[in-house]
Amino acid sequence: MKFLSSFLALTLAFVSAASVQAQPSADDIIARSLETFYYAGDDQRTRATMRLVNPQGKERRRVMTLLRKDLGGEGEQRYYIYFHEPADVKGTTFMVWKYPAREDDRWIFIPAIKLVRRIAADDKRSSFVGSDFTYEDVSGREVGDESHSLLDETDLDGRPVYRIESVPKAKVDYVRRLSWIDRERWVPLKEEYYDGRGELLRTFTADAVREVDGHWTVTQRTMRDAQSGHHTEVVYDEVGYGIGLEADLFSERYLQRPPRQWIR
Amino acid sequence: MSRQTPFTLRHALAGVLAWGVGLPAGAAQAPPLEIPEIHGFLQAHGAARLGGVDCDPGTACDWPFNEQRLQLKAEGGGFEGTLGYAGKIDLLHDAALGESEVDIRELYADYNAERYTVRAGRQVITWGVADLLFINDTFPKDWTAFYGGLPLEYLKRGSDAVRLDLFPDFADVQLVLADFRPDRLPDRERFVLPGQAIQAGLDEPSGLEVGLRVSRYVGSWDGALYLSRTHYRAPALRQVGAGWQGGFPRLNAVGASLSGPLGSGVLSLEAGYYDSVDDRDGDDPAIENSQTRLLAGYSRQIGADTTLGVQGYVEWMHDHAAYRRTLPAGYSERDELRGVATLRLTRFEMHQTLRLSLFAFWGISEGDGYLIPSARYAFSDALWGEVGANLIVGDRSGQFGVLGDNDNVYMTLRYAF
């Protein structure tokens, strides 16, 4: 009897696993996509150039190094950002302790007055350093923030994708988001955000995807504001995973004195 | 008085440099010292006095501020980050007073070890969690620059100091040994002030000042304890015969701060006790009495790209009865409790190229106020301009109100490279 029940359980497990593989739920797809996009590896170092382009083509540039470390498997993360350019804000650093179930803790260091200041974290949908990306776009959202449904499986520029519709549960600036998620690599290749009148607000595109240290990585991306015509392009100049960042790097000490080993 | 390169600076620099040489491993591959990065800016700043004010002949009346400066900033490091250095030097042309000067704003060397760091030289140190009110930050400030509308970094003067940071597991410990530097206070060259001008010789304290800060995270909160063995940075003047003599009385300060999340904003609490060592009984009218200072502040986002911050602050003068008894006739009396509230409203527009800001002090007990509205626009990554005003309202005997003849509108233009 015992053998039989184990056998049954095993068979059922197989069957359900097979069905999951055939048709993962929308939540599973989004979860795996967030995992790939925001949690790849135990840590990550990126040097990125951000171009902010207004509708007249006038350009501003931000060059920064981003360090990330995941703590445990519950989604707790630490972020550290150092600004190299423009010259007037060079040396400004920014640190986030991100928690899965509550507001983040955030600090900024302003080198001109040697001031470390804790900042309010209630602005996930606010612009990150004046760009078209929000804070949330940079450090990620949670699966449960939106209700997801799988629309279809299709192709986008030659890549097989899932097309997912997501509706935020709380009131935010968009009411509907469509995403095209690579069925093999799990990175989002495109996202569209719509407002209550069905008007397109913003479009995200992954312009270059590369495998780095075994992780599929969007190394070039654009966020386009459909209403204003402003857009922001981010290019990863350097990126690496599993480089051995220590947790104590994400502290006031290094906010004030950037770790030269990583900030180059 | 002329201690531009104090012994702390020279000796500590030499010591730190000697110490670092030959230390690090792995220096063979990389060049030991990096080429310094040079940055800086060109900045023009002017402030025009508002209102028809009768100025003394020696006061820059219509344009109390009219200056152009070139800041050169060099920083670099070496030995895989074990050594670092930075310098910030302003070449200043002050057209309001017809002067030129070289201002060494910062010049220091860093030694970074696993468990501690040392920074020696002229450096800016900022303590505490309050916004434009100071309790445990007893380091030198430049109030002339502040009331003239210069960018905020000019409020802080560098200290000539050796700063040692230790990082044991239980806390971060910061020890600061510094030479005395006074605050720069509004003077009659640019400001219209009540009363008669007083010529006084000033004795600056010698010997090192000591500051100690112990901080750590307590859950999601940042906690810190502070100790300062220092001096008041505004002079205490007393009449000696026919003339005046001034000094900087001793001050010990002890305090604590805490800041952390509350609701969707940040709560900041700070307290301090000022022990006026040279006037513990409070009966010397020339010297500040001991005080207790308390502050609570809260800041949060109130809309997209809009932040509101409010603070409440009290200064409680100890031995107020002794102060009243010994206050010379003709001087206006200060309250035992001085309360100040502040408001900061900041809003970004146009992809954060435009920053609108209002900072307001309200002297609750003294019935005065100080408003600083401003708008800053970034024309490009390199060029920004700001217009704003410094407006004093209310009772002329209050600590803000006394500057009532110095309302100004200012403009700053900065090109950074």
Side-chain angles (χ1 to χ4, degrees), chain B residues 149-182:
Chain B
L150 273 152
L152 188 61
E153 65 202 79
Y154 287 95
L155 170 60
K156 296 289 293 186
R157 299 189 81 192
S159 298
D160 295 323
V162 176
R163 167 180 159 182
L164 171 69
D165 284 274
L166 303 168
F167 306 101
D169 289 330
F170 66 94
D172 290 358
V173 178
Q174 186 180 119
L175 177 70
V176 178
L177 302 175
D179 272 0
F180 176 82
R181 279 189 102 192

Side-chain angles (χ1 to χ4, degrees), chain B residues 41-337:
Chain B
F41 55 75
L42 274 167
Q43 178 177 289
H45 177 83
R49 190 183 307 274
L50 294 175
V53 176
D54 291 330
C55 298
D56 289 340
T59 304
C61 197
D62 295 340
W63 291 91
F65 292 83
N66 177 9
E67 57 156 71
Q68 300 80 42
R69 62 174 85 212
L70 167 67
Q71 178 170 96
L72 291 173
K73 193 160 59 175
E75 62 178 334
F79 298 104
E80 307 272 298
T82 309
L83 288 189
Y85 57 87
K88 224 185 239 185
I89 294 170
D90 281 17
L91 308 174
L92 169 66
H93 176 242
D94 183 345
L97 302 185
E99 294 170 0
S100 293
E101 84 171 281
V102 176
D103 182 10
I104 298 173
R105 306 236 5 116
E106 293 177 45
L107 186 63
Y108 56 78
D110 282 339
Y111 178 79
N112 300 312
E114 172 88 22
R115 289 308 226 173
Y116 68 93
T117 60
V118 182
R119 174 167 290 175
R122 179 163 292 181
Q123 55 189 304
V124 170
I125 301 169
T126 301
W127 282 4
V129 297
D131 188 5
L132 295 182
L133 290 167
F134 298 95
I135 300 177
N136 292 295
D137 186 334
T138 55
F139 299 102
K141 304 187 183 62
D142 184 342
W143 293 105
T144 299
F146 184 70
Y147 290 117
L150 273 152
L152 188 61
E153 65 202 79
Y154 287 95
L155 170 60
K156 296 289 293 186
R157 299 189 81 192
S159 298
D160 295 323
V162 176
R163 167 180 159 182
L164 171 69
D165 284 274
L166 303 168
F167 306 101
D169 289 330
F170 66 94
D172 290 358
V173 178
Q174 186 180 119
L175 177 70
V176 178
L177 302 175
D179 272 0
F180 176 82
R181 279 189 102 192
D183 281 355
R184 216 171 138 228
L185 297 167
D187 60 29
R188 289 169 195 273
E189 287 184 311
R190 297 174 214 270
F191 289 85
V192 175
L193 304 169
Q196 294 297 308
I198 294 173
Q199 294 294 328
L202 291 180
D203 293 327
E204 281 200 18
S206 55
L208 288 176
E209 305 200 313
V210 184
L212 180 71
R213 174 180 184 266
V214 179
S215 61
R216 62 163 295 160
Y217 298 118
V218 186
S220 259
W221 292 73
D222 306 338
L225 299 171
Y226 311 86
L227 275 172
S228 303
R229 187 184 190 281
T230 179
H231 298 81
Y232 285 100
R233 297 189 191 277
L237 303 180
R238 68 177 78 246
Q239 211 153 4
V240 180
W244 290 80
Q245 191 59 36
F248 299 87
R250 280 269 297 110
L251 167 68
N252 290 335
V254 51
S257 71
L258 197 60
S259 82
L262 179 75
S264 50
V266 173
L267 178 71
S268 302
L269 302 169
E270 191 168 343
Y273 173 70
Y274 276 30
D275 171 17
S276 183
V277 179
D278 296 338
D279 184 24
R280 284 196 166 128
D281 298 328
D283 52 11
D284 184 340
I287 300 179
E288 291 279 342
N289 282 18
S290 295
Q291 280 182 345
T292 298
R293 298 183 172 194
L294 300 170
L295 174 128
Y298 187 68
S299 110
R300 63 162 291 188
Q301 183 133 16
I302 54 164
D305 286 320
T306 308
T307 311
L308 175 71
V310 290
Q311 298 182 111
Y313 166 82
V314 225
E315 237 173 56
W316 173 33
M317 187 197 290
H318 297 272
D319 308 304
H320 192 255
Y323 160 80
R324 284 184 60 180
R325 200 172 58 241
T326 52
L327 188 72
Y331 282 76
S332 63
E333 182 189 320
R334 279 160 57 187
D335 296 332
E336 184 170 7
L337 274 180

Side-chain angles (χ1 to χ4, degrees), chain A residues 10 19 65 75 99 105 111 147 221 243:
Chain A
L10 202 63
S19 67
T65 296
Y99 308 101
D105 289 321
S147 308
R221 66 194 67 189
I243 53 174

